Amino acid sequence: MNIQDIYQRTIKFAAQKHTDCNQTIPGTNLPYIVHLSNVAMEIFIAAEKTKNFDIELAIQVSLLHDILEDTEVTFDELENEFGKKVAIGVLALTKEK
């Protein structure tokens, strides 16, 4: 799968899950996916300047980084959808409740 397909698959999943719980960017009416896509853009910029950068992993984790703490998605669901490596990466960025 190419990076564009990975991005599209991941952002659609994240957008739907954050929309399902009516999440917006705090202090605005903007859908939460705007924040996630901005984080992903930072990853694309970092990837251009970094040797041996795992862009596929980083993009998926950036788009999903708040999904465990802000939605009903479980670690197991995330692992089933995106694999163990991505799920562990997201978990590492998840704030403890």
Side-chain angles (χ1 to χ4, degrees), residues 11-91:
I11 201 168
K12 287 175 185 175
F13 180 89
Q16 187 61 61
K17 298 300 182 177
H18 287 281
T19 299
D20 287 349
C21 61
N22 297 314
Q23 189 176 13
T24 59
I25 296 174
T28 76
N29 291 325
L30 294 172
Y32 200 71
I33 198 64
V34 172
H35 162 66
L36 301 176
S37 65
N38 286 336
V39 173
M41 180 56 65
E42 295 297 323
I43 295 300
F44 279 117
I45 292 167
E48 289 179 346
K49 300 174 182 185
T50 308
K51 281 181 112 175
N52 302 318
F53 192 87
D54 189 345
I55 186 76
E56 293 176 8
L57 175 64
I59 285 298
Q60 291 175 94
V61 171
S62 70
L63 290 170
L64 298 167
H65 76 274
D66 284 333
I67 206 153
L68 294 176
E69 64 192 71
D70 293 343
T71 74
E72 297 298 316
V73 173
T74 65
F75 179 87
D76 290 338
E77 181 181 2
L78 203 57
E79 184 177 9
N80 288 336
E81 281 290 322
F82 297 98
K84 189 170 196 128
K85 200 172 180 182
V86 170
I88 290 171
V90 172
L91 184 60

